[in-house]
């Protein structure tokens, strides 16, 4: 998961640093220390800030009439600062220098687009014509001729990366609406040109890139409110001519009917990106905001509205965002944790502390990957990432324990072991697991068990699986194939426990469980071991007991409809409850359905699946929901007895969802008309009853007010008549 933390103002902006396109800063670059940043405005001034102290350490300006045209960068090897003003004049100075007129000056033969400084590779100069030189080579002969690599193309973005010890420069250009990507290897003096695949009615607005395993990953923010990923291999045949780069969709910037019109973005880690833009909903004014998205699960993690407006620029260093907000430069700290489905949808249990990631995604974990899964997971993919991109250096799962490799190796060695030896070793493995690796170890154990179930259909350790799920804090994302195997094996008790304990079950799996529970006959369920704690207090378990227990109702109206709402053609099996009411399903099925009702879900994602529920099952489910609604309303505290019982709000939410999904079916189906009619009468009676309660409450309040006005020493008896 990801979260935005405290924010503060780093400093004010000059007249050119306002909001909107064309305003803001020329750039923000890292300083000589991790806590320093270099701010270059769209004028004459560059300022060095110490972020933690929120104060400037130095400020330098060029003369009146001169303009800084290339952002100031730091040479990390010499701790000198480099800038270009008026396109061709290069300046180099140190902290002790005050007057830039007296520092080193060199006039170049071509216009400079950008200077990129690498920690281990030295500064690299990119000219507007596409030529590239290292600073050392350029200073040997400042007036040397610079070749023009591009023709009638305009550079839109550039970045310098490191592949091992080799600097790599990548830049994007535009010509007549077409975009091109150039990759320059400085030490090998090789240049490759690519053409970016075109997209109708859409163009890239912002870029960022990083290198991993000899491949450049280029991310593009498009005007179609999407982020695309482009892979560029570094090992290319030099004889090949211009290639067309295909792109794949990484993220759609839409959520709950709103669309984010992004202007700039940065990569935070392998699963999270931050985007600055305007969030627009239909019929509402767009609102500028900073958002963090999970690219793995396609979810919006968090957002912060920026009412004073921004310049559309976003930078990220050392787990801090930098952007202009109104007339100031604002800093917001953030945190990103290892990506899991439970965290992505906001259903992570409180017992899981944010300092340690408890869940690992084992969705693609195969037998060969059991060893690899315990290798150190440092964000190597981002080691050579853009300097405008945060490189998360404190990934909570970045450090593997010394004995972690032996866990994966042990599981591989047990692949062909006998069933008894296999399960005994797994039990010992879980008992010896130490924090914080216990969750990762259990995840490997579950994966090994599920993999053996898949390869050997006759093998299914029911008791072992149930024991792990009941005694450990697991999630669906930690063992995603578990419930699918349980459905296949008809292990209803395990499904019930998973629904009660897992915080992040996908809506598709919730629907699959509901459909199975409704389709299985009560006769079959009588032979199945199911936890009945949620129904034992209000559904009669002894089916041969037909005695009716009379009970005084407490809510002022009769919960039993005057007509018989249970249609024998729809429901063949009804069960007498302790107070004489009939439950449309047996206690086992009721307990299973209660587990579904209490599970977490999103209405947006569940509704499409509910529409596929067969009509007769939908009617049966609605009968049971109506029954629960009546039972909840009988008691003055409107709660069902027992543990893990659904609340009246959960019952009503599911009832509304079911009616939304099957509105036409419920209206047209003759078997459902009487049920809907009685439900309408019951709700109407409740509305009348609560309306009368409101009247009584008003009368009692008036009486209380009158009593306060009288002498407290006077004794009297008063009768309030309610008409």
């Amino acid at each position: 998961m990801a979260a935005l933390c405290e924010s503060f103002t780093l400093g004010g902006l000059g007249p050119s640093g306002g909001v909107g396109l064309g305003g803001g800063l020329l750039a923000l670059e890292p300083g000589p220390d991790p806590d320093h940043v270099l701010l270059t405005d769209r004028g004459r001034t560059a300022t060095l800030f110490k972020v933690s102290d929120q104060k400037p350490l130095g400020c330098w300006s060029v003369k009146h009439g001169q303009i800084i045209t290339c952002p100031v960068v730091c040479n990390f090897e010499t701790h000198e600062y480099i800038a270009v003003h008026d396109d061709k004049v290069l300046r180099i100075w140190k902290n002790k220098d005050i007057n830039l007129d007296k520092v080193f000056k060199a006039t170049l033969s071509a216009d400079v687009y950008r200077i990129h400084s690498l920690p281990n590779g030295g500064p690299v100069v990119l000219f507007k014509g596409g030529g590239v030189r290292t600073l050392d080579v350029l200073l040997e002969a400042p007036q040397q001729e610079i070749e023009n690599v591009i023709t009638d193309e305009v550079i839109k973005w550039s970045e310098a990366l490191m592949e091992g010890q080799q600097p790599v420069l990548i830049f994007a250009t535009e010509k007549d609406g077409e975009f091109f990507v150039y990759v320059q290897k400085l030490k090998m003096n090789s240049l490759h040109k690519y053409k970016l695949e075109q997209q109708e009615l859409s163009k890239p607005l912002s870029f960022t890139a990083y290198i991993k395993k000899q491949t450049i990953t280029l991310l593009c923010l498009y005007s179609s409110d999407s982020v695309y990923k482009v892979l560029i291999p570094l090992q290319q045949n030099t004889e090949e001519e211009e290639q067309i780069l295909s792109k794949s969709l990484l993220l759609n910037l839409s959520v709950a009917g709103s669309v984010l019109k992004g202007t700039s973005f940065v990569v935070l880690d392998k699963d999270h990106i931050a985007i600055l833009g305007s969030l627009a909903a239909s019929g509402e004014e767009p609102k500028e905001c900073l958002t963090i998205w999970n690219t793995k699960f396609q979810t919006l993690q968090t957002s912060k509205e920026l009412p004073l407006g921004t310049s559309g620029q976003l930078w990220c260093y050392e787990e801090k965002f930098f952007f202009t907000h109104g007339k100031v430069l604002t800093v917001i700290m953030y945190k990103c944790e290892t990506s899991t489905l439970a965290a992505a949808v906001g259903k992570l249990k409180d017992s899981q502390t944010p300092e340690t990631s408890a869940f690992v995604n084992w969705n693609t974990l195969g037998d060969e990957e059991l060893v690899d899964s315990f290798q150190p997971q440092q964000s190597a993919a981002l080691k050579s990432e853009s300097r405008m991109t945060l490189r998360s250096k404190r990934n909570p799962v970045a450090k593997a324990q010394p004995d972690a490799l032996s866990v994966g190796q042990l599981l591989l060695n047990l692949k062909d072991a006998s069933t008894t030896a296999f399960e005994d070793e797994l039990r010992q493995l879980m008992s010896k697991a130490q924090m914080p690796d216990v969750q990762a170890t259990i995840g490997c154990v579950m994966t090994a068990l599920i993999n053996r179930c898949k390869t050997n259909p006759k093998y299914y350790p029911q008791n072992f699986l149930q024991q792990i799920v009941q005694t450990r804090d697991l999630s669906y994302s930690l063992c995603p194939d578990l419930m699918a195997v349980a459905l296949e094996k008809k292990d209803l008790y395990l499904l019930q426990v998973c629904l009660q304990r897992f915080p992040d079950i996908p809506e598709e799996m919730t629907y699959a469980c509901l459909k199975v529970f409704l389709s299985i006959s009560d006769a079959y369920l009588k032979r199945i071991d199911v936890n009945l704690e949620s129904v034992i207090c209000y559904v009669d378990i002894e089916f041969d007991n037909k005695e009716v227990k009379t009970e005084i109702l407490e809510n002022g109206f009769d919960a039993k409809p005057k007509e018989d709402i249970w249609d024998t053609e729809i429901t063949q099996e009804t069960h007498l409850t302790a107070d004489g009411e009939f439950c449309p399903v047996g206690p086992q099925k009721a307990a299973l359905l209660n587990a579904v009702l209490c599970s977490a879900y999103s209405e947006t994602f569940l509704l499409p699946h509910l529409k596929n529920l067969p009509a007769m099952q939908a009617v049966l489910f609605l009968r049971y929901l109506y029954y629960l609604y009546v039972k909840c309303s009988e008691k003055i505290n409107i709660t069902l007895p027992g543990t893990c019982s659904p609340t009246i709000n959960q019952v009503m939410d599911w009832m509304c969802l079911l009616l939304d999904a099957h509105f036409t079916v419920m209206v047209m189906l003759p078997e459902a008309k009487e049920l809907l009619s009685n439900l309408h009468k019951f709700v109407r009676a409740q509305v009348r009853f609560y309306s009368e309660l409101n009247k009584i409450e008003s009368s009692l309040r008036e009486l209380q007010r009158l009593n306060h006005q009288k002498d407290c020493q006077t004794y009297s008896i008063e009768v309030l008549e309610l008409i």
Side-chain angles (χ1 to χ4, degrees), residues 327-591:
K327 287 291 185 179
V328 298
L329 178 63
T330 299
V331 182
I332 295 184
M333 290 181 282
Y334 75 95
K335 60 181 180 180
C336 278
E337 299 173 1
T338 303
S339 179
T340 64
L341 184 58
V345 297
K347 299 177 181 178
L348 202 60
K349 288 187 175 179
D350 294 337
S351 60
Q352 298 149 2
T353 60
E355 289 74 20
T356 302
S357 175
F359 295 153
V360 181
N361 185 6
W362 305 93
N363 195 27
T364 58
L365 191 64
D367 292 331
E368 307 85 14
E369 296 167 307
L370 286 171
V371 175
D372 296 336
S373 66
F374 281 93
Q375 298 296 334
Q377 300 179 24
Q378 295 178 351
S379 53
L382 304 177
K383 284 185 178 179
S384 302
E385 198 174 288
S386 164
R387 286 213 156 269
M388 292 179 66
T389 301
L390 175 69
R391 292 168 291 182
S392 180
K393 298 180 180 178
R394 292 185 284 275
N395 193 334
V397 292
K399 299 180 180 180
Q401 296 300 317
D403 60 343
L405 182 61
S406 62
V407 175
Q409 190 61 52
L410 175 61
L411 294 176
L412 287 180
N413 295 337
L414 292 174
K415 184 176 180 181
D416 299 322
S418 64
T419 299
T420 303
F422 179 70
E423 295 185 7
D424 289 343
E425 288 292 337
L426 293 185
R427 286 188 171 90
Q428 292 182 15
L429 186 61
M430 287 193 300
S431 63
K432 295 178 181 179
Q434 301 294 325
M435 293 297 291
D437 286 338
V438 61
Q439 291 297 105
T441 302
I442 296 172
C444 268
V445 169
M446 295 296 290
T447 301
L449 289 170
I450 297 303
N451 287 344
R452 176 166 282 212
C453 292
K454 291 180 178 179
T455 56
N456 183 9
K458 296 182 179 180
Y459 175 73
Y460 184 67
Q462 183 180 29
N463 295 333
F464 193 13
L465 291 174
Q466 292 177 359
Q467 178 187 359
I468 296 176
V469 174
Q470 286 180 305
T471 57
R472 305 286 184 172
D473 287 331
L474 303 181
S475 71
Y476 182 89
S477 55
L478 189 63
C479 42
D481 294 330
L482 173 62
M483 294 186 70
V485 173
L487 277 172
E488 181 182 351
K489 300 294 184 180
K490 292 293 190 293
D491 191 349
L492 303 182
Y493 179 73
L494 181 59
L495 290 173
Q496 182 188 25
V497 177
C498 291
L499 286 167
Q500 292 173 342
R501 298 179 66 88
F502 287 2
D504 59 340
I505 300 175
E507 284 73 8
E508 183 179 7
M509 180 57 65
T510 303
Y511 165 75
C513 293
L514 173 64
K515 186 175 180 181
V516 169
F517 295 163
L518 290 171
S519 62
I520 295 179
S521 65
D522 284 347
Y524 174 81
L525 289 174
K526 291 178 182 178
R527 307 192 300 268
I528 303 299
D529 183 19
V530 175
N531 187 351
L532 300 176
E533 290 182 357
S534 65
V535 299
I536 195 171
C537 295
Y538 64 90
V539 175
D540 194 358
I541 307 303
E542 300 296 332
F543 299 114
D544 55 350
N545 180 15
K546 301 298 181 181
E547 294 183 3
V548 176
K549 177 181 177 181
T550 304
E551 184 177 6
I552 299 175
L553 303 181
E554 301 181 52
N555 264 0
F557 56 89
D558 189 358
K560 181 179 178 181
K562 298 179 180 179
E563 303 88 353
D564 183 11
I565 67 168
W566 310 122
D567 195 323
T568 57
E569 294 181 1
I570 298 179
T571 307
Q572 299 295 331
E573 301 177 7
T574 57
H575 301 272
L576 192 66
T577 63
D579 60 354
E581 298 299 329
F582 282 94
C583 179
V585 297
Q588 289 82 5
K589 183 175 292 188

Side-chain angles (χ1 to χ4, degrees), residues 123-125 127 131-135 137-138 144-147 186:
V124 178
V125 182
F127 292 85
V132 179
R133 296 288 189 276
T134 62
L135 183 63
V137 172
L138 188 62
Q144 62 184 276
E145 184 179 356
I146 306 298
E147 71 276 8
L186 275 69

